[in-house]
Amino acid sequence: LPDPTPPDSRGAIVRVERTAICGSDLHLYHGTLPIPPGFTLGHEFVGEIVETGRDVRRFRSGDRVIVSGVIGCGECGACAGGHPIRCERHQTRVFGNSRELPGGQAEAAAVPGADAALLRVPDAVSVQQAVLLTDILHAFAQNPVVPCYDAEWRAPPSPPASEVFAPLPSGVHGIGHAGTGYSFDSPMTWRSIR
């Protein structure tokens, strides 16, 4: 397959560092849904930006990012507000579900509307941790996915370093509020997964 190029002046190229396999990828892989040759699967991936279009404002080459599995036009009010599923221009798409938006199970991927489709991964978060958040990034709107690691986000008390914690959204994908001591002023809670 050819190397990706920025889709437009608002897009970026992300060198994929980690990717995950979702159940929806397995439907394609097992032939439940037909896919043409050269089709690139994967909507769960993280990596490093290697190139940005001239109109990308929030990111630059070298930034480590989570790529939202679901994207919209990146410009309308819904997309700018973090709701690509509600894209007012009806351009909601999922990476790796069409030839027009190849997935992240590749060396690199083109990301349209980078400012709305990416989230910077703080240094304290590994790519192994970050890749677990890609499929639900679009569900959090303005509530950041990893808020305890970045100064521009709310800073709740961090969970103990000796534990393994996962952020659990409230009301997303049927998961309710976990009610642990690691909650903060957003619809997410840190909960031990050991």
Side-chain angles (χ1 to χ4, degrees):
L1 295 174
D3 289 338
T5 58
D8 57 32
S9 64
R10 297 179 309 103
I13 301 299
V14 174
R15 182 180 53 81
V16 177
E17 293 182 42
R18 290 285 187 280
T19 185
I21 296 173
C22 180
S24 59
D25 294 328
L26 296 177
H27 294 300
L28 298 166
Y29 178 78
H30 290 300
T32 306
L33 300 170
I35 57 174
F39 190 86
T40 305
L41 298 174
H43 59 267
E44 300 180 7
F45 60 102
V46 298
E48 180 182 327
I49 296 175
V50 294
E51 184 178 348
T52 60
R54 70 180 175 278
D55 295 326
V56 174
R57 300 290 177 241
R58 296 180 52 219
F59 300 95
R60 65 179 185 269
S61 293
D63 286 345
R64 293 175 49 225
V65 293
I66 296 172
V67 180
S68 176
V70 178
I71 64 168
C73 72
E75 294 180 328
C76 71
C79 289
H83 300 281
I85 289 176
R86 298 180 188 156
C87 179
E88 295 160 11
R89 296 180 182 166
H90 307 287
Q91 294 181 21
T92 300
R93 296 167 287 167
V94 178
F95 280 96
N97 280 353
S98 72
R99 273 209 164 143
E100 291 74 38
L101 191 61
Q105 292 177 10
E107 292 180 17
V111 180
D115 284 331
L118 301 175
L119 179 69
R120 191 170 287 105
V121 178
D123 291 338
V125 176
S126 72
V127 292
Q128 293 89 338
Q129 293 167 322
V131 76
L132 298 175
L133 303 173
T134 57
D135 197 29
I136 56 175
L137 176 61
H138 66 278
F140 294 113
Q142 292 298 324
N143 298 306
V145 175
V146 282
C148 71
Y149 293 109
D150 191 292
E152 71 186 62
W153 298 334
R154 294 179 202 106
S158 296
S162 61
E163 292 290 326
V164 176
F165 283 80
L168 297 179
S170 175
V172 177
H173 300 300
I175 299 172
H177 183 73
T180 70
Y182 300 102
S183 63
F184 43 89
D185 187 20
S186 81
M188 289 179 32
T189 297
W190 289 99
R191 182 168 183 169
S192 177
I193 56 173
R194 270 192 202 212

